[in-house]
Amino acid sequence: MAWRFKTSKYKNAAPKVIKREEWIQEGISAGNLMQCSGNHIKAGCIYMTFNVDSSGGGNLGVLPVSSTGRLVNGLPLLPAHGDFVSDFEFSPFDDYLLATGSADNSVKVWLLPEEDNLSELSNLNPVVAVPKQNYKIENVTWNPMAEGVLTFTCNDCVVLYDVTSQEQKISINNHKDQIQSISWRDNGQVFVTSCKDKRLRIIDPRASSVVQETQGHDNIRDSRALWLGNKDMLCTTGFSRSREREVKVWDCRNFTSSVSTLGIDSNTGTLIPLYDADTGMLFLTGKGDSNIRYYEISEKDSTLTENNISRTEQVKGVGMVPKRALNVMEGEVDRLLLLTKQAIIPIPYIVPRKNYLEFHDDLFPDTASDEPGLSATAWFSGANGQRKLVSLNPQRKTAIGSRRGLGLQPGEVKEAGGGTSADVPVTNKTQPETSQVTNPSSPPASVPNTSPSATSQSPVHNRTDEEKAAEAISDDVTDEDKAEAEQREEVQKKVSARIFSGVRQCKFKHWKCKTLHRSTHIENIRKLDRTVPGESNFFVANKKRCVVPIEGSGGLLSVFELDKPGKLQDAGLPVLQHQSKATDYSWDPFSDNRLVVACDDAKIWVWDIPEGGLTETLTEPRGTLRGHMEKIYFVIFHPLARDIIVTSAYDFTVRIWDLSEMKEVLQLFVHPDQVFCAAWSPDGKYLCTVCKDGKVRIFNPRKSPNPVMEGPGPEGSRGARAVFVLEGNYLFISGFDKQSKRMVFMYDTGDLSKPLYEDSIDECPAILVPYYDEDSNTVFLSGRGDGQMYAYEVATEEPYLFPLATTKFPTASQAFSFLPKYLCNVKEVEFAKAYRLTQTSVEPVSFTVPRVRLEYFQDDLFPETRVTWEPTMTSKDWLAGSNRQPRTLSLQPKDMTLLSQAPKETPKVRKFESYNADTYKTDEQKKEELMSAMTNKLSKQEAPLPQDLAEGVDEDEWDD
């Protein structure tokens, strides 16, 4: 019964009160975080990373884990994803390797720069980009034993991914609902999941089987499962049937029911558990809570003992700093990082002792090192490993901050000198791989030496004993062993090159979208007509004015002058009035005054807007066109020839018109169903259509009414859009699949038999309208009613579509209309400009690329642009077969020098590294230097003081 009276060494551990001046507050904004399964803040031995507001898109804040107080250079941000980052985690074997998962369905792995180069985060590219999944990523975690084994969950699926080979190895789909949490056992063999179906499952992933399963918490609300180190015990948090928060402890050997249950309170925030396997300390706090609870779990009866409850700021997220980064010489046994609305608060837990002059080894047992127990290849083959333990004693402690990188193969053989020999195989091929990895600290029996000293022809009398031994060993190596070693070395080089060079470097990846000042907005738009057909762009603008549909009989269109922003009057605005509903409208690209409107009575109206805008309601156009027999749903101008337009209607015909003659000139009649859209090639020769019959067709309309090529298009019937990209050699199409998911496709115009690439975006009924910027090869996508804008870079190499940053807006967007390139402010690195229509306003938006040296013209971003705002030929020329192409124009201002001609910047001087013995200084040394400097300044002056030189007066000189 002695265990009853055993006192815990950590019972009196308490949080140290941190002054507000030491809180990290500069740029921290976490007041509006998206609900997700992540902790919102995680830490490694070098960095901490955390979510910022949902309005920040997929950005993560990154800071050194030792940061406190005011940030001198602001908050470094990593633009990791196009949508909110739902979970992230540092590798246990590389303090610079960060895995992230996002609501954009993607998982990425990042190799963070050194602390002195955090400014490079804004242009950082991932070293690994996992193919997009079908659902939002919920959890991301690393295997705690094998290097490079990444685990993530999306909806009801668990995926195990080999980062070193960039292959998905295992997919487990035996959950019946969304997975809410996942936690590995420290031996890396099994993991536990909690699910929305209220079940806990212990899974052996290599067998793809559920080892044990039981009923978890009685409420479907968010739950967490946490394996307690390498013990046969689990801890879960969740909600009871009465919606009370509770904590349960489970014994894996008797998994039918929990061995201990503790009710907490009736708050609604998800309880986040954090566990220190070395000390047995368990911390609990909930999102929205204002306190942190510290418990210990009894090893005898698994009961929870509450040791401390500390009050703090309202919690948005919480993370735990690894043991190897703690200040053990101050009794710090654990450190939590608390993310609040506007700050990060470090909370160290200290065990009180009389002094901390010596290392208290009873408080700090040996902890797991940063060396993996085995490789990913060995683990997936069924092997099990064991991690090496290291001391936390500063006198024996190894330097923290390992940076293995993905260029090294995991599970390397460590040479006696401490170096790595990844390309040297073990020669005993009959020995199973498990014997190599079970105890990584033991050297192999025989290793061929491929170092230069062993292979060079050095004189015999200069050879050392070690060289002779190496030569003797190498003599035992067969030709087959050498060939195998060479093959492994070649494979390693290929893997390293693929990881570091395979990720495309895109200059526009981290583009920014900014809504200009409210003084430039047109506000108080009343009765916006949202019933315009989806085939229409809904909103069109040129450099002078824009068109907005208004509710009312007769197809009302408001025309607003863009140089007259402000609040519109409530009623009595002049409009364009038609005899029936307006279904689409388009500005002439070569005239800011001519507007063509298609109506559902099969008529096409041609308007000339007076200079200065509308002063009264207009009912008589300059002319009308008739030819279609049914409702028209789109009208598009030719990109190069003046007066040429193309239309389509529910009579399933595509017609081309000459506005100079006001007549129909060509007709395409092969479509058996509704034509969703049409698009001209950039050279004006070809016309592409996407039809409801599921076909994509390309026509040369001047030569034949039949398509020159056709192929399968989007399967969905909700609609589609197409645009020629990459000088007309490829087609970018947005549409839907059979399940009505929004999709994007990339086609080679020389072969439409199948798409080169396709990607799923989300589930939404609004068609994604693309705009293509040919100078940056960027496609912007936005749907009617969307709150965000997507973007892709299109390229000629696989996979052809590269996701770029996504931007979110505070209100839903009804449509965008982009302006010609020459209107961009290149001095601000603005590569695109548009107007955004909301329910009540028109707002100018600017698309820029972050750059440092703004005094130079960024010629790598702004090539000579095609002058598409001037016609190259008349309608008669085009109809006669002419194909004159536009001239190009440089956007370089006369007062700016090319960036390519700018002098190179001198590299920044690197700061001293704390682990460098030559430059490291202790606090005492720094204090001595400071006191010495102050003493020198206050050194004794030999010269007399001024008061010593003053002369007095004799006594007889005083007046009586």
Side-chain angles (χ1 to χ4, degrees):
M1 300 294 289
W3 60 267
R4 283 191 176 183
F5 308 102
K6 184 179 180 181
T7 304
S8 168
K9 298 185 291 289
Y10 308 100
K11 178 180 179 181
N12 297 320
K16 178 182 178 182
V17 178
I18 300 297
K19 297 179 181 179
R20 185 175 290 269
E21 292 78 17
E22 297 181 33
W23 296 5
I24 304 171
Q25 302 182 73
E26 188 80 19
I28 307 298
S29 178
N32 185 27
L33 298 182
M34 183 182 294
Q35 181 66 31
C36 63
S37 300
N39 290 5
H40 296 309
I41 183 169
K42 295 281 182 72
C45 289
I46 300 297
Y47 292 119
M48 68 175 85
T49 184
F50 48 90
N51 287 114
V52 295
D53 270 350
S54 301
S55 58
N59 290 336
L60 287 176
V62 179
L63 288 173
V65 74
S66 58
S67 298
T68 57
R70 182 179 177 83
L71 303 178
V72 177
N73 297 320
L75 177 62
L77 291 177
L78 172 66
H81 291 269
D83 205 339
F84 189 79
V85 182
S86 50
D87 199 13
F88 43 89
E89 187 170 282
F90 286 97
S91 167
F93 314 116
D94 190 329
D95 295 310
Y96 294 86
L97 203 63
L98 175 68
T100 61
S102 170
D104 65 3
N105 304 358
S106 67
V107 175
K108 298 178 183 179
V109 180
W110 308 83
L111 191 61
L112 301 182
E114 299 286 350
E115 292 183 57
D116 295 339
N117 300 319
L118 279 180
S119 59
E120 299 174 0
L121 284 177
S122 59
N123 294 317
L124 194 66
N125 288 295
V127 292
V128 175
V130 179
K132 270 198 173 185
Q133 307 299 305
N134 294 327
Y135 298 93
K136 166 188 172 183
I137 306 301
E138 298 290 345
N139 302 276
V140 176
T141 187
W142 297 90
N143 185 293
M145 184 61 62
E147 184 176 36
V149 178
L150 182 62
T151 312
F152 58 88
T153 71
C154 52
N155 196 29
D156 59 354
C157 178
V158 181
V159 177
L160 275 74
Y161 190 85
D162 186 348
V163 173
T164 56
S165 65
Q166 298 194 47
E167 294 179 324
Q168 179 174 313
K169 294 289 190 178
I170 299 173
S171 179
I172 302 172
N173 297 278
N174 47 20
H175 295 77
K176 298 178 181 178
D177 209 327
Q178 177 184 320
I179 300 170
Q180 296 175 327
S181 68
I182 183 171
S183 178
W184 281 96
R185 186 168 182 164
D186 273 3
N187 62 15
Q189 298 177 22
V190 293
F191 57 74
V192 61
T193 63
S194 64
C195 185
K196 201 172 182 179
D197 64 2
K198 299 185 274 189
R199 307 288 290 178
L200 297 175
R201 295 173 176 88
I202 297 176
I203 297 175
D204 181 353
R206 291 175 289 188
S208 295
S209 63
V210 177
V211 179
Q212 296 185 74
E213 181 177 353
T214 189
Q215 177 73 20
H217 296 269
D218 293 330
N219 199 297
I220 65 171
R221 299 185 66 178
D222 198 13
S223 62
R224 299 291 179 90
L226 180 66
W227 209 297
L228 300 181
N230 200 26
K231 299 178 181 178
D232 292 319
M233 297 172 65
L234 304 171
C235 172
T236 63
T237 64
F239 294 83
S240 66
R241 189 170 300 173
S242 58
R243 299 183 180 180
E244 182 185 35
R245 295 195 299 184
E246 59 183 8
V247 185
K248 292 188 176 185
V249 179
W250 307 77
D251 190 333
C252 302
R253 296 161 296 187
N254 183 16
F255 206 47
T256 55
S257 62
S258 62
V259 296
S260 175
T261 301
L262 177 64
I264 302 296
D265 52 32
S266 57
N267 290 353
T268 59
T270 304
L271 275 174
I272 301 174
L274 299 172
Y275 180 69
D276 178 6
D278 294 345
T279 62
M281 300 172 71
L282 176 69
F283 301 93
L284 292 176
T285 188
K287 296 180 181 180
D289 285 8
S290 297
N291 53 52
I292 299 176
R293 294 173 166 86
Y294 157 43
Y295 296 87
E296 284 188 288
I297 302 177
S298 169
E299 295 184 5
K300 185 66 178 179
D301 56 4
S302 302
T303 57
L304 287 167
T305 302
E306 185 179 275
N307 288 342
N308 182 277
I309 298 181
S310 58
R311 295 191 60 81
T312 182
E313 299 291 308
Q314 189 180 53
V315 177
K316 294 294 183 180
V318 65
M320 180 181 284
V321 175
K323 299 291 288 188
R324 293 181 292 113
L326 299 181
N327 191 350
V328 296
M329 296 307 292
E330 293 185 1
E332 185 183 43
V333 292
D334 271 308
R335 188 193 310 160
L336 305 185
L337 295 175
L338 199 68
L339 178 65
T340 68
K341 184 177 180 180
Q342 294 181 329
I344 294 176
I345 308 174
I347 303 180
Y349 275 76
I350 308 295
V351 173
R353 289 290 170 95
K354 289 183 179 180
N355 65 71
Y356 302 105
L357 298 177
E358 296 181 355
F359 175 71
H360 295 275
D361 53 1
D362 60 323
L363 296 180
F364 302 101
D366 289 354
T367 192
S369 72
D370 60 356
E371 296 182 13
L374 70 166
S375 69
T377 303
W379 188 86
F380 281 112
S381 299
N384 296 317
Q386 183 177 353
R387 285 177 68 178
K388 181 181 176 181
L389 299 180
V390 294
S391 173
L392 294 177
N393 190 333
Q395 296 181 355
R396 291 183 289 163
K397 185 178 176 183
T398 58
I400 64 173
S402 63
R403 187 182 178 90
R404 300 167 65 88
L406 292 175
L408 297 176
Q409 288 293 298
E412 296 170 341
V413 180
K414 295 288 180 181
E415 295 179 330
T420 60
S421 174
D423 55 344
V424 182
V426 176
T427 58
N428 185 6
K429 291 184 288 184
T430 60
Q431 182 183 10
E433 189 171 6
T434 54
S435 63
Q436 299 176 34
V437 296
T438 301
N439 186 7
S441 61
S442 60
S446 59
V447 179
N449 192 329
T450 58
S451 63
S453 62
T455 57
S456 61
Q457 299 295 325
S458 57
V460 175
H461 63 274
N462 288 334
R463 290 184 301 162
T464 63
D465 293 339
E466 289 81 359
E467 289 173 339
K468 293 177 182 178
E471 182 178 349
I473 293 174
S474 63
D475 290 340
D476 295 334
V477 180
T478 65
D479 293 339
E480 183 180 352
D481 293 326
K482 293 179 180 178
E484 184 179 351
E486 293 176 358
Q487 184 178 6
R488 288 195 185 189
E489 182 178 5
E490 185 66 26
V491 169
Q492 179 189 350
K493 290 179 179 178
K494 289 182 179 179
V495 170
S496 178
R498 179 154 58 98
I499 290 175
F500 287 102
S501 303
V503 180
R504 180 177 177 82
Q505 302 292 322
C506 176
K507 298 173 183 176
F508 297 88
K509 178 179 179 181
H510 304 301
W511 60 276
K512 304 290 184 182
C513 180
K514 177 183 177 182
T515 302
L516 301 189
H517 192 266
R518 188 174 179 180
S519 62
T520 62
H521 298 183
I522 298 174
E523 298 179 317
N524 197 36
I525 297 176
R526 299 274 183 123
K527 298 182 179 180
L528 181 70
D529 185 5
R530 299 178 60 185
T531 63
V532 175
E535 292 79 12
S536 170
N537 285 352
F538 192 68
F539 170 67
V540 291
N542 58 31
K543 67 180 181 181
K544 288 186 177 180
R545 46 186 68 95
C546 63
V547 177
V548 175
I550 302 298
E551 293 179 356
S553 60
L556 305 182
L557 297 177
S558 287
V559 180
F560 301 130
E561 299 295 308
L562 296 174
D563 61 353
K564 298 177 182 178
K567 185 176 180 180
L568 301 172
Q569 61 191 47
D570 293 343
L573 291 174
V575 294
L576 300 178
Q577 188 170 9
H578 306 81
Q579 296 175 355
S580 62
K581 184 178 182 60
T583 54
D584 195 24
Y585 26 90
S586 181
W587 286 110
D588 187 336
F590 315 121
S591 172
D592 295 326
N593 299 328
R594 183 159 67 171
L595 179 71
V596 175
V597 181
C599 295
D600 63 2
D601 62 357
K603 290 174 63 177
I604 301 169
W605 297 55
V606 182
W607 297 91
D608 281 334
I609 306 301
E611 287 294 338
L614 298 182
T615 56
E616 60 180 355
T617 295
L618 300 183
T619 59
E620 294 296 329
R622 184 174 68 86
T624 59
L625 297 169
R626 291 197 68 103
H628 283 292
M629 306 303 295
E630 297 287 346
K631 169 185 173 181
I632 304 172
Y633 39 78
F634 67 73
V635 54
I636 301 170
F637 272 90
H638 193 278
L640 300 177
R642 187 189 296 275
D643 297 325
I644 295 293
I645 62 172
V646 61
T647 60
S648 186
Y650 278 108
D651 57 12
F652 304 156
T653 64
V654 176
R655 301 174 189 245
I656 297 175
W657 311 76
D658 182 358
L659 297 184
S660 65
E661 299 288 338
M662 295 297 288
K663 67 178 183 180
E664 176 186 326
V665 291
L666 296 170
Q667 185 178 157
L668 309 176
F669 45 80
V670 298
H671 299 88
D673 209 331
Q674 176 189 354
V675 180
F676 287 140
C677 67
W680 291 102
S681 62
D683 59 7
K685 295 180 182 179
Y686 300 101
L687 184 71
C688 168
T689 64
V690 183
C691 184
K692 197 174 183 178
D693 67 350
K695 293 290 186 67
V696 179
R697 296 175 175 88
I698 296 179
F699 297 85
N700 188 341
R702 292 176 295 181
K703 291 187 176 181
S704 172
N706 297 314
V708 296
M709 193 168 295
E710 68 176 40
E715 297 177 335
S717 59
R718 286 183 176 272
R721 292 298 178 92
V723 60
F724 281 90
V725 297
L726 300 174
E727 299 180 350
N729 296 318
Y730 295 84
L731 267 177
F732 180 94
I733 297 178
S734 63
F736 296 86
D737 64 6
K738 287 183 178 180
Q739 287 76 37
S740 295
K741 288 183 181 178
R742 296 200 290 191
M743 305 281 293
V744 292
F745 307 85
M746 190 76 162
Y747 286 84
D748 186 339
T749 54
D751 180 11
L752 298 181
S753 59
K754 63 177 181 179
L756 296 171
Y757 182 78
E758 60 184 63
D759 193 11
S760 174
I761 304 294
D762 55 19
E763 294 185 21
C764 183
I767 182 66
L768 286 168
V769 180
Y771 170 77
Y772 175 59
D773 176 34
E774 60 184 30
D775 292 345
S776 62
N777 289 331
T778 301
V779 177
F780 298 98
L781 293 161
S782 181
R784 197 178 301 179
D786 283 2
Q788 59 188 354
M789 173 177 277
Y790 303 95
Y792 285 88
E793 181 194 10
V794 293
T796 56
E797 62 266 21
E798 293 183 355
Y800 306 101
L801 292 179
F802 297 86
L804 304 180
T806 299
T807 189
K808 291 189 176 183
F809 297 94
T811 57
S813 304
Q814 299 303 319
F816 287 82
S817 185
F818 284 78
L819 301 180
K821 195 76 170 187
Y822 74 96
L823 296 175
C824 293
N825 184 0
V826 296
K827 292 185 176 182
E828 298 294 330
V829 202
E830 182 182 56
F831 72 101
K833 194 171 190 175
Y835 281 93
R836 182 173 82 103
L837 175 67
T838 72
Q839 184 67 30
T840 59
S841 65
V842 173
E843 305 171 358
V845 290
S846 174
F847 300 87
T848 59
V849 177
R851 281 294 173 98
V852 177
R853 308 178 75 181
L854 296 181
E855 66 272 20
Y856 295 100
F857 176 69
Q858 315 289 319
D859 51 331
D860 59 326
L861 300 183
F862 297 101
E864 289 197 350
T865 189
R866 295 195 317 146
V867 180
T868 57
W869 51 92
E870 296 177 358
T872 62
M873 56 195 135
T874 64
S875 57
K876 292 181 176 59
D877 294 335
W878 183 79
L879 291 170
S882 178
N883 291 308
R884 283 194 293 272
Q885 296 305 299
R887 64 185 178 92
T888 59
L889 174 71
S890 173
L891 298 177
Q892 179 187 0
K894 295 181 180 179
D895 59 346
M896 295 186 74
T897 304
L898 298 179
L899 180 65
S900 58
Q901 299 176 359
K904 291 186 177 180
E905 291 182 311
T906 56
K908 295 180 179 179
V909 180
R910 292 178 60 85
K911 297 179 181 178
F912 291 140
E913 297 169 337
S914 61
Y915 56 83
N916 189 334
D918 296 332
T919 59
Y920 176 76
K921 294 180 181 179
T922 65
D923 291 342
E924 289 298 324
Q925 289 173 323
K926 293 177 183 177
K927 184 177 179 180
E928 277 187 25
E929 289 184 0
L930 180 62
M931 294 299 295
S932 176
M934 294 175 64
T935 303
N936 291 336
K937 286 186 178 182
L938 298 176
S939 59
K940 183 178 179 181
Q941 301 288 335
E942 297 296 336
L945 297 173
Q947 56 267 32
D948 295 333
L949 300 177
E951 296 183 0
V953 296
D954 294 335
E955 293 185 2
D956 56 358
E957 294 182 11
W958 290 95
D959 294 332
D960 292 334

